[in-house]
Amino acid sequence: MDVMGDKATLFETGRFVQPSGDGEEGEIVAEQAAEELRQRLAAEAGDIEAMSVLGAMLLRRGDLDGAEPHLRAATAAGDRAAANNLGVLLHQRGYADEAAGWWRIAAVAGSSAAAHALGRHHRERGDEPAAEYWLRQSAEQGHVLGAYALADLLEHRGDPDAERWMRAAAERGHREAAYRLARALDLRAGPETAGDNGVSPAAEAEQWYRQAAARGHRRAALHLGAILEKRGELKEAGRWYLTSAKDGEPRAACALGFLLRDAGDSESAAVWWLRAAQDGDGNAANALGALHAERGETQTAERWYRAAMDAGDVNGAYNLGLLCAEQGRTAQAEQWYRRAAYAGHREAANALAVLLLQGGDEAGAEPWFSKAAEAGSVDAAFNLGILYAKRGEDVLALRWYERAAAAGHTEAALQVGMARLRDGDEQEAERHLRCAAGGGSAEAAYRLAAVLDARRPPASAHELGEALHEKTECEEWYERAASLGHRRAQVRVGMLAAARGDVVEAARWYRAAAEAGSRNGAFNLGLLLAREGSEPEAAVWWTRAADAGHGRAALRLALVYARRGELAEGQRWADRAVSLGPAEVAERAARLRDALRQELTA
């Protein structure tokens, strides 16, 4: 009869199964009807156990009026399962205190189900000591619901013994206990930490998530999917997301959408995002907004961003600001940025500050930059550095540059490296320049190469008289910067190639620099072409360099035209070289100009 009493505790939920009567289910109903008839006949004959079973059957069916007299009769005869079920019946009728009295009788008689129900009753009334006593009685007798309810009570108090009972309930098949145990383990430590059983909390958490998810717990399926996705097991992650989403978990539908989008299936992603967004998921609404914005459907995008905002997702206001800014609606962009920034969105605060700065309101921009930077926005920290540097407040600028650089901001690391170079701290400068160069900064790669270049000793000659060339680290950084389009690096790579006799490679880099506007690249390309016997083409590049202000190129042109006998043109370029300098070039150009003038007036 304990089993009947244990089953009766399920009636507290108020849910009853009504078989349909079709096919096999119809046969089951017929068998149940026959069993009920047998129990009724036995009960009418005075069988106490039959009275208890019949009462439980009627209670399960929802026939409270029919069940009550049988349960009262069996209870009066000392049947503890009947006492427990009578308590359930009275609780459903709204007579909680009378129900508790019968549960107490059944619990004292050893019913673990009644002890659980009595513990729940006391907790609902705020009597936690009594609740703990009866729930512990139920849990120690092996009642799974009692173990879970006790764990919940102890966890509420912060009692470390809660996990033991949560584990006990989970081990006996309670899916919510399995989920909550997994959450506790998941939040406790990283995967590198081993528990007492040699298994890391993260690994054990995954096991419990899996058990709860297999029993139909949708949030457990969501978390299991997230763990698998992070590990790269996307196919299985997608299956669990799908399971959770079909059970009505909007976050799983949203996550499944992102998984499908990353796999290139935007249409299917949109279906799941729509489902999640309609269930109130702001992240999914934002994703739909971004999808429509990419397609140029700005009105639809704005509608979904507003839906995200209405769902409490502050990203909706930020994205609305971005959308308005892209359309040139500056006033509305500021309005939405400000709304998101006041709600604590750090990137919105940074965007608002940039917008204000662009409008000339530096005083209004600074506090928003500060707020965003203090909240962890790397871009805002860098922008603050720019703001202070512009004012000449170098110490403050450097502090914010360093903060942004520490968070991986490439341009901030470059600025710190350059500041350290100016201070003479070459070691710190190199460290930051390496970070910036590794992050893709061409300027940092060039400056790092220059630092390393200045350190290297003069190249030694091979004993056979040929230079033995091995590419140094500084050359590799020069080449990295050159490949990223850095003009001075391209000239330097060309010079290094020319030094080792690789004329073709040198010409390639000089030409790349010259075509990008480097006057040194144009001058050096001219020298290379002249040495190869292509003086007319060399003159073309020297003209480009001289027009850009290169004095040596102007002097070379003066010499070219003087040799050709075009004395007036030579004199003109000599005059240009004198004005451009440097001093050594100006002196030579002046002598050439005077000689050409004398020749012209002779």
Side-chain angles (χ1 to χ4, degrees):
M1 292 306 296
D2 288 344
V3 175
M4 183 62 69
D6 290 344
K7 287 182 180 179
T9 60
L10 298 176
F11 300 153
E12 293 176 70
T13 63
R15 295 192 296 272
F16 300 95
V17 177
Q18 300 293 337
S20 64
D22 295 331
E24 292 183 3
E25 291 183 355
E27 294 178 6
I28 293 172
V29 170
E31 289 177 5
Q32 290 175 344
E35 175 62 20
E36 181 181 327
L37 179 60
R38 283 194 295 272
Q39 296 296 340
R40 189 178 294 279
L41 292 173
E44 289 173 354
D47 189 322
I48 303 302
E49 183 177 350
M51 292 178 193
S52 179
V53 172
L54 178 60
M57 292 176 71
L58 294 170
L59 179 61
R60 182 180 294 111
R61 199 168 67 204
D63 184 359
L64 304 188
D65 292 334
E68 185 171 353
H70 295 292
L71 291 175
R72 285 190 180 276
T75 298
D79 189 292
R80 69 181 186 186
N84 174 58
N85 287 337
L86 180 59
V88 172
L89 185 148
L90 292 168
H91 187 269
Q92 289 184 20
R93 287 191 186 277
Y95 304 127
D97 291 335
E98 188 180 353
W102 290 112
W103 281 332
R104 182 180 295 276
I105 290 171
V108 169
S111 171
S112 60
H116 164 248
L118 187 58
R120 290 279 303 274
H121 170 81
H122 284 299
R123 188 173 181 191
E124 287 170 3
R125 278 154 179 72
D127 188 353
E128 290 198 0
E132 182 180 351
Y133 174 81
W134 289 110
L135 290 176
R136 195 174 290 277
Q137 292 291 321
S138 175
E140 288 176 349
Q141 291 177 60
H143 194 276
V144 62
L145 296 177
Y148 174 71
L150 176 60
D152 183 67
L153 176 64
L154 296 175
E155 187 176 84
H156 174 70
R157 291 182 185 171
D159 190 323
D161 200 36
E163 185 177 317
R164 178 169 73 91
W165 289 109
M166 196 69 78
R167 189 181 295 275
E171 288 171 348
R172 291 168 190 160
H174 196 290
R175 70 180 189 182
E176 183 66 24
Y179 169 71
R180 289 178 63 174
L181 177 60
R183 289 296 295 150
L185 291 166
D186 203 3
L187 297 171
R188 180 182 302 164
E192 70 283 353
T193 307
D196 295 336
N197 56 0
V199 180
S200 73
E204 190 179 1
E206 183 181 338
Q207 294 171 6
W208 287 114
Y209 279 137
R210 196 174 288 277
Q211 289 197 31
R215 295 184 185 119
H217 197 290
R218 69 186 194 186
R219 282 174 295 164
L222 167 66
H223 285 284
L224 179 58
I227 289 171
L228 294 166
E229 181 182 3
K230 187 176 180 180
R231 204 160 61 209
E233 299 176 24
L234 303 183
K235 190 173 181 180
E236 189 180 359
R239 286 201 300 270
W240 286 112
Y241 283 149
L242 180 61
T243 298
S244 180
K246 284 182 174 179
D247 285 340
E249 177 56 60
R251 290 175 297 170
C254 181
L256 180 59
F258 282 111
L259 212 59
L260 290 165
R261 181 204 63 182
D262 293 343
D265 189 355
S266 295
E267 295 303 319
S268 297
V271 170
W272 287 105
W273 282 334
L274 178 61
R275 181 168 175 172
Q278 288 173 337
D279 287 338
D281 190 283
N283 194 21
N286 272 314
L288 278 174
L291 185 65
H292 287 290
E294 287 173 7
R295 295 172 177 173
E297 301 165 358
T298 55
Q299 288 186 337
T300 307
E302 185 170 338
R303 179 167 63 85
W304 282 114
Y305 287 148
R306 287 180 183 273
M309 191 172 59
D310 293 341
D313 192 326
V314 70
N315 285 313
Y318 173 59
N319 288 332
L320 274 171
L322 291 174
L323 191 66
C324 291
E326 287 173 2
Q327 295 173 341
R329 296 153 59 194
T330 306
Q332 287 136 308
E334 181 181 339
Q335 170 195 345
W336 293 117
Y337 284 150
R338 199 175 289 276
R339 180 166 177 174
Y342 275 123
H345 196 293
R346 66 189 188 191
E347 297 309 326
N350 179 60
L352 174 60
V354 170
L355 203 64
L356 293 169
L357 195 60
Q358 289 171 345
D361 186 4
E362 186 175 309
E366 183 179 345
W368 286 112
F369 276 139
S370 295
K371 185 174 181 179
E374 293 292 354
S377 171
V378 180
D379 288 335
F382 177 65
N383 289 336
L384 265 181
I386 294 174
L387 197 64
Y388 287 124
K390 183 181 176 183
R391 294 179 187 169
E393 300 178 44
D394 294 337
V395 175
L396 280 173
L398 182 58
R399 184 174 50 159
W400 286 107
Y401 283 146
E402 286 179 329
R403 186 162 176 174
H409 197 286
T410 298
E411 290 303 312
L414 170 62
Q415 295 300 323
V416 175
M418 291 169 63
R420 294 305 180 201
L421 275 179
R422 288 192 296 269
D423 295 340
D425 189 350
E426 193 175 288
Q427 187 174 359
E428 273 298 291
E430 181 183 339
R431 184 172 71 84
H432 282 95
L433 290 174
R434 284 187 183 277
C435 291
S441 169
E443 182 66 24
Y446 172 74
R447 289 180 179 272
L448 174 60
V451 168
L452 298 172
D453 202 0
R455 288 184 196 162
R456 64 176 182 168
S460 58
H462 191 269
E463 61 182 9
L464 296 178
E466 296 180 0
L468 181 63
H469 179 76
E470 292 182 3
K471 190 176 290 186
T472 61
E473 187 186 4
C474 78
E475 290 179 75
E476 292 174 353
W477 284 114
Y478 277 135
E479 288 181 4
R480 172 85 67 89
S483 65
L484 292 170
H486 195 285
R487 294 182 302 180
R488 284 179 293 169
Q490 289 170 341
V491 172
R492 184 64 180 140
V493 172
M495 292 170 66
L496 292 169
R500 63 175 180 264
D502 191 344
V503 177
V504 174
E505 184 72 0
R508 181 172 75 87
W509 286 113
Y510 286 151
R511 191 179 298 275
E515 289 176 348
S518 169
R519 62 188 187 185
N520 285 329
F523 175 70
N524 287 356
L525 179 58
L527 289 178
L528 203 65
L529 291 167
R531 291 193 193 108
E532 295 297 311
S534 301
E535 190 174 84
E537 188 182 353
V540 171
W541 289 107
W542 283 333
T543 301
R544 183 181 290 195
D547 287 341
H550 199 287
R552 293 184 187 277
L555 178 58
R556 288 277 177 174
L557 284 169
L559 290 169
V560 167
Y561 285 111
R563 283 198 299 270
R564 290 178 183 174
E566 301 177 31
L567 304 184
E569 188 67 9
Q571 184 180 341
R572 186 175 72 83
W573 283 112
D575 275 336
R576 185 74 184 277
V578 169
S579 64
L580 293 174
E584 178 190 351
V585 170
E587 183 181 344
R588 291 178 59 195
R591 290 200 299 268
L592 177 60
R593 179 192 61 192
D594 293 343
L596 291 173
R597 185 178 295 139
Q598 288 176 6
E599 187 71 23
L600 284 168
T601 58

